[in-house]
Amino acid sequence: RIAWDANGTLNFAGNGVFADISTSTNVIDNVWHHVAATYDGSKAIIYIDGSENVSVSGTGNIDNSDYEVTIGENSQRPGRNYTGNLDDVRIWNVARTPAEINSSKNCALQGNETGLVAYYNFNQGNGGEDNTSITSLTDGKGNNDGTLNGFALNVNTCNFLAKEAPLPNLGYTFTKTNASCNGLNDGSIAVSVYGGQAPYSFTWSNGATTSSITGL
């Protein structure tokens, strides 16, 4: 179980396989956060925005539960509802590494990733529109569509949020000046980046981190 603590930190419960852990960071700050919880048989970790926040050692396997998987509710103890916004929920049968978490935390998945069990991106509805014909939550993996319970779908109180406009594709162009003569170091290159979301970062093979380099 991943849940909010009363003070706005996050809790990952291990059901005796590992001790419950809570983050040191309060995520109730009116901005979106990426949260991941992993257990690999020896260590449980909570990541916030791609960085490890808290961990604890454990042993053994987590038992399968007789209760249904729920998002925003607790089927074992109903009424412990989540109050907030959720998007892009992913369930895996592998413990994702920090590199894997960071490589996809800001991207949509294809649905065929190794170890992906279920993928709910909450994209089938639109905020401020009539969504009453929607009765299920689409699984991008194609296996386990969810049932929407207590989910408002009419125009005025729809629980689906308005979708953000997609970012334009990231692109770039290069401008280069060759060295004027063999053996001279007066060449240069500059890259102009567009699309995506600024600010941009640059890393060249010589270690430079500016958008242009000289003395080549």
Side-chain angles (χ1 to χ4, degrees):
R1 181 185 71 247
I2 307 171
W4 261 352
D5 289 320
N7 60 358
T9 56
L10 295 163
N11 178 269
F12 186 21
N15 195 31
V17 177
F18 56 84
D20 292 8
I21 52 175
S22 294
T23 63
S24 58
T25 301
N26 183 326
V27 295
I28 303 180
D29 54 6
N30 294 316
V31 297
W32 283 98
H33 290 284
H34 180 276
V35 172
T38 67
Y39 175 64
D40 63 2
S42 62
K43 189 177 184 181
I45 306 173
I46 301 178
Y47 299 86
I48 297 179
D49 299 324
S51 297
E52 180 177 329
N53 187 273
V54 64
S55 66
V56 68
S57 297
T59 57
N61 298 322
I62 299 175
D63 292 335
N64 286 325
S65 173
D66 293 330
Y67 295 93
E68 291 183 334
V69 174
T70 53
I71 301 172
E73 171 61 301
N74 186 324
S75 55
Q76 182 176 1
R77 296 186 180 181
R80 296 182 173 187
N81 298 305
Y82 172 84
T83 302
N85 298 328
L86 284 170
D87 195 20
D88 226 69
V89 174
R90 308 161 181 195
I91 302 174
W92 306 81
N93 62 15
V94 294
R96 301 275 281 171
T97 66
E100 289 171 331
I101 290 170
N102 278 285
S103 68
S104 64
K105 66 184 176 67
N106 295 321
C107 305
L109 300 181
Q110 299 299 312
N112 59 357
E113 287 79 1
T114 301
L116 182 65
V117 176
Y119 177 37
Y120 303 104
N121 56 23
F122 295 83
N123 282 351
Q124 67 266 38
N126 291 294
E129 297 183 12
D130 185 355
N131 297 287
T132 52
S133 62
I134 300 173
T135 59
S136 63
L137 186 63
T138 301
D139 174 18
K141 181 69 178 177
N143 295 330
N144 307 287
D145 287 354
T147 300
L148 296 171
N149 293 306
F151 202 84
L153 293 166
N154 59 37
V155 175
N156 294 325
T157 60
C158 181
N159 286 139
F160 280 115
L161 301 178
K163 296 177 182 177
E164 295 182 3
L167 293 173
N169 290 335
L170 187 68
Y172 53 88
T173 58
F174 284 111
T175 302
K176 68 175 183 176
T177 302
N178 292 326
S180 61
C181 185
N182 258 352
L184 296 183
N185 298 327
D186 58 355
S188 64
I189 190 168
V191 61
S192 296
V193 183
Y194 56 87
Q197 183 173 358
Y200 308 114
S201 60
F202 306 88
T203 303
W204 300 89
S205 59
N206 66 355
T209 57
T210 54
S211 62
S212 61
I213 48 177
T214 59
L216 304 179

